[in-house]
Every structure is written in C-alpha cells, then in structure tokens.
Amino acid sequence: MTSDIGDKPQPLIEHLMELRTRLIWSLAAFFIAFIGCFAVAKHLFNYLVYPYKWAVIWAHLDVAKSQLIYTAPQEFFFTQVKVAMFGALVIAFPIIAAQIYKFVAPGLYKNERAAFLPFLIASPLLFLMGAALVYFFFCPMVMWFFLKMQQSPTDGEIAISLMPKVSEYLSLIMTLVFSFGLVFQLPVITTLLARVGLLTSAWLAQKRKFAIVLAFVVAAVLTPPDPMSQIGLALPTILLYEISIYAARLVERQRSRQALEESSASSDIVSKDD
C-alpha cells in the first residue's frame, strides 16, 4: 500500500475478522429492522394495497366490494413475513452499504474513495425513484388492465371477477419494484464501468439501436401484454440509457482533464530541472 491510503497492510486473518464485523453489523441492522417491520406488517401491506385501490377507482368499480383473499391458513402470515423482510431490506440498505464501503475503503486511494462515495448516494436514490414510479403509476396501471378483463353477468354471461390472493399481489408488486429499481441502476453501473475504462460513450452510442430493442423485449417479458405497460417500462429504460451515455462522456472529459493536468505538471517539473 502507498502512503496515499493511510492504512497499514493487514494479514488475511485480520481481513476476515473485519469482514465478520461488517457482516454482523449488517445482519444486526437487518434483524432489528425486520422486527420493527413485522410488528406493523399488516399496516405496511395496507399501504402496498393502495395502488390496487387506485386501479379499482380507475376501472369505475366499487372499492367497498373489492377485496384480496388468501386460500391457506398460513398464507397471510407468511405474506406479512415477506413484507417485513422487504421493508427491513429497504430500511437497512444504507447501513449495509456503509458497512460494504468501510470494508473496501482501506484498499482504495483517496481519489478513489471520493469517486466511490457519490455512487453510494445515487444508487439508493435511483432505486427509490424506480420504486416510486411502480407504486404511483405502473402498478395501478397494471392492476387496472387486469381489472378491465372482468366480465359482468349481463346478456346471460357468467360473471368473471378478479379476486387476487395476498401472496400473489405482493409477489407482483415486489417483482415490479425490484425490476424497476435494477433498471434505474443503469446510469450508476455504466458510469462505474466507464470510470474503470471498460465502456466508452462512443460504444454506448453505437449500440443505442440494440439497447432500444432490448428495452422493449425486457418490457414485454416483465409487464402484462398491453402496449401501455410495455411502453411504461421501455421509455424510462431508454431515457436512462441516454443518461448513461451522457454520464460516460462526463467521466471521459474528467479523465482527459486530469491527464492534461498531470502532463502539464510533468512538463513544469522537467523545465525546472533543465
């Protein structure tokens, strides 16, 4: 290690002990958050049901007659456990990310630490933006699409009604939240790859047409088979891809500026020696 790091080299056993400490802190944060979330799991699930209520209103149905069901005695209990785990992961994520940073920070230079910190802030913010898009727009739109498929008992037809199970509704909304959250990490991932030189803005711009096609393919797989839902995921993905190209260009400009400054400094040193 150089003096730029400021930490003495550590043997393997000390690294393992440090890793154990960080894991203990992360698991403790998750466990405490899980206990708190499980105590109010039913209230948390009621908040997750709001998009379904909004979809019922959009479909011009009676909210009082709409319901979620569970068909096994233990189903709603395990659904609350999943809700508590989901909430605990969200709450404990800043602590877990901080522990990861504290573990890898001694092996980074000061400029690398300064470059790494913004990503720790941007990553959860982008994930929350994706989750908010799901909660306030995408999930109600998906549920509205399914509710519109119901059949009323008119003209001698048998009534066909949607009665979602609590476990299946939770699985749907969690899948959408994690899908959008991961998609919204695209600028962070591409910026990190550009910073280490594995990607360039020119290469990303060249592959734009393939990225657009891939965005619609992924949207078709993750969303219901209606154009609105697919466009609802594909358009943010394409927008994030363009933001990624811009972020990669900023990284390249910064790298070029640093290289020019270093070259100027080296030239000054040589001229002084002469």
Side-chain angles (χ1 to χ4, degrees):
M1 296 292 179
T2 66
S3 59
D4 202 13
I5 298 178
D7 292 331
K8 296 180 179 180
Q10 296 178 337
L12 178 60
I13 188 64
E14 293 189 16
H15 284 294
L16 293 177
M17 292 176 63
E18 178 71 12
L19 177 61
R20 183 190 64 178
T21 301
R22 300 307 171 193
L23 288 175
I24 291 174
W25 276 106
S26 300
L27 291 175
F30 177 81
F31 181 74
I32 293 172
F34 174 79
I35 296 299
C37 290
F38 185 74
V40 294
K42 186 176 292 186
H43 299 287
L44 293 177
F45 187 80
N46 286 331
Y47 281 113
L48 294 177
V49 173
Y50 275 115
Y52 179 67
K53 291 183 179 179
W54 298 333
V56 170
I57 296 173
W58 293 357
H60 304 289
L61 301 175
D62 188 358
V63 177
K65 294 182 180 179
S66 301
Q67 60 178 333
L68 300 178
I69 64 171
Y70 60 97
T71 57
Q74 74 280 7
E75 181 179 347
F76 191 43
F77 170 78
F78 285 112
T79 299
Q80 293 181 63
V81 172
K82 292 179 181 179
V83 169
M85 293 178 65
F86 181 71
L89 184 61
V90 173
I91 294 174
F93 178 79
I95 299 176
I96 296 173
Q99 296 303 314
I100 294 174
Y101 174 74
K102 289 180 179 179
F103 178 72
V104 301
L108 301 176
Y109 295 100
K110 289 182 179 180
N111 60 337
E112 292 175 337
R113 296 180 188 179
F116 192 71
L117 277 174
F119 296 106
L120 289 179
I121 300 174
S123 184
L125 288 179
L126 289 172
F127 187 89
L128 290 176
M129 289 174 60
L133 181 63
V134 169
Y135 186 83
F136 292 105
F137 174 71
F138 197 76
C139 189
M141 184 176 62
V142 170
M143 296 309 301
W144 170 81
F145 172 79
F146 290 137
L147 286 168
K148 293 297 289 184
M149 297 179 66
Q150 294 184 120
Q151 180 174 286
S152 302
T154 57
D155 299 329
E157 299 289 346
I158 297 176
I160 302 177
S161 301
L162 173 64
M163 300 181 66
K165 296 173 61 177
V166 292
S167 58
E168 293 175 350
Y169 175 79
L170 179 65
S171 297
L172 174 63
I173 194 170
M174 287 178 61
T175 300
L176 292 175
V177 165
F178 279 114
S179 298
F180 273 75
L182 292 177
V183 167
F184 271 67
Q185 301 303 310
L186 185 60
V188 174
I189 296 173
T190 53
T191 304
L192 282 173
L193 293 177
R195 187 174 290 275
V196 298
L198 296 178
L199 286 180
T200 63
S201 59
W203 186 86
L204 291 173
Q206 182 182 3
K207 303 300 180 181
R208 181 184 285 110
K209 56 184 179 181
F210 300 104
I212 294 174
V213 173
L214 182 61
F216 279 96
V217 170
V218 173
V221 173
L222 295 178
T223 62
D226 68 292
M228 291 182 60
S229 300
Q230 295 176 10
I231 294 174
L233 178 57
L235 287 183
T237 305
I238 297 171
L239 178 60
L240 289 168
Y241 189 83
E242 296 297 329
I243 294 175
S244 301
I245 295 175
Y246 178 74
R249 287 174 180 168
L250 291 179
V251 170
E252 291 169 356
R253 291 174 186 172
Q254 183 181 8
R255 188 186 303 160
S256 299
R257 193 181 304 114
Q258 291 177 351
L260 183 60
E261 291 175 355
E262 291 175 359
S263 177
S264 300
S266 300
S267 299
D268 293 339
I269 294 174
V270 171
S271 60
K272 289 180 180 178
D273 292 339
D274 293 339

